[in-house]
């Protein structure tokens, strides 16, 4: 069993905790005792409302367009089971295990809020499945993001009931077999519990939580790559002057400029061209790096603020309040999350697009300020990093093609009862793909900028850039200086992994 490091209370879950639980199976999850007690009281209110004979959506009625159909009291448990079975309609390849674990964690946290009105045992059963490493197969397609991520969450609930499939080391296996092996019993849903489980934004929110974490790591590394390119191209740090950024006080812009100043401090390369340099200004991809990268950071921060709220928000329906009233609303609608995902997709496209422009300047002898063509010792006989820029250009083109917001593309569903939906999972898929492309383009810039610095020796770059260059060359397996031509692909993939893992993060830890 994993040791407990994450205690859920429905109020204080953080992105950092989501990342730890999702990616490290040694991190265990527990339920806060006071939160459990509050949920138990909420459940008593639900049971009292059912016993009184009230008509309550999803508890003793059908769902969606069928909300006006009253269900007999002896069929209420079966109503919840039928809901899960019928809504497990996802298609496509399974979501990665780390994403499903994040979804399970988020759903347990939200169900623990007293507004959910479920039995505490449901939360505990989900947490037990998570701690046991039982990860349901959840197809990535099939959710429009309202009434919540119905299909993805239904596949998780199906496994909790002992039906469907889970991920295994050698493929997939039956959920019932996996629960038996873990010493867990299939969970039997009671009134409201199936609906409460699947009315929520937790699939798209889980993806957003992982994405904002990875985007932060990427941003710092991308700023490091920009500083390294500035040195390799013998650019001027004058546009980093804090007075410039104080005059236009966007928070991200100032932070980007400050980080670049730190990385470039004590540069011998800068001193070598301080006097008699015929250039008046650098190109925008160098001179405006703080403005562009600052806007990227501010957009990431917007997504972080959105997910911080959503992690601990009541997104099921109907909601139970402490006066006993059960009210149907629309907190399951994923528009805030989908919109944040679309913003991330666009801003990460910007990040890689400006990085690719610096790659072009590094390899192009007409723009590289004296560096050899394509950064090779023997241009002509060798092609050097010619294809690295072409690869980067192809990734940027792909990202631009899919950066169109999905959250503005509603298609009505459920016989037009759900007539405006946010398409959050489509936004998440695009943002994931664009993040991966951006990580590879930044890897391409690092590869070229590090090579460019080699041609300026014995001049040393700024201390921060020198440290970044040393760590890049010290990776295992290594990414050595390019001599005779070799396939760039292994170097690009090694650097991409390092970028994704934060191994080349030059920012404050």
């Amino acid at each position: 069993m994993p040791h407990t490091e994450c205690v859920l209370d429905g109020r204080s879950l953080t992105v950092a905790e989501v990342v730890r639980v999702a990616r490290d199976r040694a991190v265990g999850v527990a339920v806060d005792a006071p939160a459990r007690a509050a949920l138990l009281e909420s459940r008593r209110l639900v049971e009292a409302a059912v016993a009184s004979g009230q008509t309550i959506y999803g508890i003793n009625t059908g769902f969606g367009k069928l909300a006006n159909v009253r269900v007999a009291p002896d069929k209420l448990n079966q109503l919840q089971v039928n809901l899960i079975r019928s809504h497990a309609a996802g298609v496509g390849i399974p979501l990665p295990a780390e994403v499903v674990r994040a979804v399970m964690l988020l759903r347990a946290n939200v169900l623990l809020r007293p507004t959910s009105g479920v039995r505490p045992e449901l939360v505990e059963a989900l947490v037990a499945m998570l701690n046991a490493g039982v990860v349901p197969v959840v197809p990535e397609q099939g959710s429009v993001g309202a009434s919540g991520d119905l299909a993805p969450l239904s596949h998780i609930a199906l496994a909790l009931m002992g039906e469907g499939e889970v991920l295994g080391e050698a493929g997939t296996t039956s959920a019932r077999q996996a629960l038996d092996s873990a010493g867990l019993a299939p969970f039997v849903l009671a009134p409201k519990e199936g609906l409460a489980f699947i009315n929520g934004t937790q699939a798209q929110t889980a993806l957003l939580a992982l994405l904002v974490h990875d985007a932060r790591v990427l941003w710092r590394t991308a700023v490091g790559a920009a500083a390294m390119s500035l040195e390799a191209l013998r650019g001027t740090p004058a546009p980093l002057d804090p007075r410039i950024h104080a005059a236009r006080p966007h928070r991200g812009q100032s932070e980007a400029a400050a980080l670049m100043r730190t990385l470039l401090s004590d540069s011998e390369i800068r001193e070598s061209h301080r006097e008699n340099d015929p250039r008046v200004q650098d190109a925008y991809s160098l001179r405006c790096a703080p403005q562009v990268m600052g806007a990227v950071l501010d957009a990431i921060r917007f997504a972080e603020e959105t997910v911080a709220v959503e992690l601990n928000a009541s997104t099921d329906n109907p909601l139970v309040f402490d006066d006993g009233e059960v009210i149907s609303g629309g907190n399951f609608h994923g528009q805030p999350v989908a919109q944040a995902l679309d913003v991330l997709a666009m801003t990460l496209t910007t990040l890689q697009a400006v990085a690719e422009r610096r790659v072009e300047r590094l390899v192009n002898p007409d723009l590289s300020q004296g560096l050899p063509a394509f950064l090779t010792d023997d241009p002509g006989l060798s092609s050097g990093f010619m294809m690295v820029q072409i690869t980067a250009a192809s990734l940027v083109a792909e990202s631009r093609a899919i950066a169109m917001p999905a959250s503005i593309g509603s298609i009505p569903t459920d016989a037009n009862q759900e007539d405006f939906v946010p398409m959050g999972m489509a936004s998440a898929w695009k943002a994931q793909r664009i993040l991966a492309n951006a990580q590879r383009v930044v890897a391409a810039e690092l590869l070229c900028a590090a090579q460019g610095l080699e041609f300026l020796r014995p001049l040393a770059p700024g201390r921060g850039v020198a440290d970044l260059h040393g760590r890049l060359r010290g990776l295992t397996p290594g990414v050595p200086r390019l001599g005779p031509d070799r396939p760039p692909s292994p170097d690009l993939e090694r650097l991409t992994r390092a970028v994704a893992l934060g191994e080349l993060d030059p920012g404050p830890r």
Side-chain angles (χ1 to χ4, degrees), residues 372-424:
F374 305 107
L375 300 171
T376 176
D377 293 311
D378 196 358
L381 177 63
S382 297
S383 295
F385 287 145
M386 180 187 296
M387 284 301 300
V388 172
Q389 185 271 330
I390 293 173
T391 296
S394 74
L395 294 171
V396 173
E398 179 184 278
S399 294
R400 286 173 173 163
I402 63 175
M404 173 73 177
S407 60
I408 60 173
S410 173
I411 297 176
T413 59
D414 190 22
N416 229 42
Q417 176 74 4
E418 299 164 1
D419 60 349
F420 188 83
V421 295
M423 301 299 180

Side-chain angles (χ1 to χ4, degrees), residues 211-225:
L211 278 162
V212 296
H213 171 271
D214 293 344
R216 269 278 184 177
V217 172
L218 174 62
W219 181 85
R220 291 189 294 266
T221 306
V223 173

Side-chain angles (χ1 to χ4, degrees), residues 188 262 326:
V188 179
T262 299
V326 182

Side-chain angles (χ1 to χ4, degrees), residues 30-393:
V31 174
D32 176 70
R36 187 190 192 282
L39 180 58
L40 183 59
E41 183 58 32
S42 170
R43 181 63 189 179
R44 290 185 181 125
L45 295 174
V46 171
E47 292 170 350
V50 172
S52 71
Q54 297 178 45
T55 299
I56 306 175
Y57 171 73
I59 295 179
N60 51 19
T61 74
F63 306 101
K65 191 72 171 178
L66 301 174
N68 61 342
V69 179
R70 182 73 181 256
V71 177
D74 63 341
K75 301 291 186 182
L76 298 187
N77 284 8
Q78 189 62 44
L79 174 69
Q80 303 299 312
V81 172
N82 289 351
L83 174 69
I84 299 304
R85 289 174 177 164
S86 65
H87 283 56
V91 296
I93 64 174
L95 289 170
E98 68 173 37
V99 174
V100 179
R101 286 177 58 82
V103 177
M104 295 166 72
L105 179 73
L106 267 59
R107 200 68 203 127
N109 187 60
V110 170
L111 288 174
L112 191 55
R113 292 177 60 83
T115 48
S116 77
V118 303
R119 292 172 294 164
E121 289 83 0
L122 174 57
V123 178
E124 290 165 341
L126 182 57
V127 167
M129 189 164 76
L130 179 59
N131 285 336
V134 178
V135 180
V137 172
V138 180
E140 71 175 5
Q141 295 171 287
S143 173
V144 298
S147 301
D149 292 313
L150 297 174
L153 293 172
S154 292
H155 283 276
I156 294 175
L158 198 68
L160 191 66
M161 293 161 46
E163 303 179 24
E165 295 184 316
V166 300
L167 300 172
E169 303 224 348
T172 62
T173 187
S174 76
R176 183 58 182 265
Q177 181 180 344
L179 291 176
D180 287 345
S181 297
L184 303 175
F187 192 79
V188 179
L189 296 170
K192 192 185 186 298
E193 291 181 336
L195 181 61
F197 199 102
I198 68 174
N199 258 191
T201 65
Q202 278 61 55
Q204 56 195 292
T205 303
L207 283 159
L208 179 58
L210 296 174
L211 278 162
V212 296
H213 171 271
D214 293 344
R216 269 278 184 177
V217 172
L218 174 62
W219 181 85
R220 291 189 294 266
T221 306
V223 173
M228 188 180 288
S229 292
L230 184 75
E231 289 280 61
L233 292 166
R234 287 178 280 197
T236 174
L240 305 176
D241 190 305
R243 293 170 294 181
I244 292 175
H245 306 289
R248 192 195 194 194
H250 290 293
R251 182 178 171 187
Q253 177 178 326
S254 295
E255 291 179 23
L259 179 53
M260 290 188 73
R261 286 196 302 272
T262 299
L263 294 171
L264 295 165
S265 63
D266 299 327
S267 169
E268 293 179 3
I269 294 174
R270 169 57 181 142
E271 295 308 314
S272 72
H273 62 93
R274 185 180 290 277
E275 305 295 336
N276 301 317
D277 191 326
R279 295 171 294 173
V280 177
Q281 293 179 326
D282 289 324
Y284 283 6
S285 59
L286 299 172
R287 180 168 26 124
C288 301
Q291 287 79 5
V292 175
M293 293 302 291
V296 169
L297 179 58
D298 288 337
I300 293 170
R301 188 176 286 117
F302 161 74
E304 288 173 333
E305 291 169 354
T306 299
V307 76
V309 172
E310 197 74 1
L311 288 179
N312 299 287
S314 295
T315 58
D316 47 313
N317 181 61
L319 297 181
V320 182
F321 296 95
D322 55 13
D323 60 359
E325 195 167 3
V326 182
I327 305 176
S328 183
N331 278 3
F332 50 69
H333 202 287
Q335 192 69 28
V337 180
Q339 194 165 279
L341 285 160
D342 281 337
V343 168
L344 265 187
M346 290 185 291
T347 202
L348 292 175
T349 300
T350 297
L351 180 150
Q352 64 191 275
V354 72
E356 183 278 329
R357 288 294 76 203
R358 291 188 293 265
V359 171
E360 164 64 8
R361 302 195 79 82
L362 286 160
V363 302
N364 185 338
D366 295 332
L367 302 173
S368 64
Q369 303 301 322
L371 295 175
F374 305 107
L375 300 171
T376 176
D377 293 311
D378 196 358
L381 177 63
S382 297
S383 295
F385 287 145
M386 180 187 296
M387 284 301 300
V388 172
Q389 185 271 330
I390 293 173
T391 296

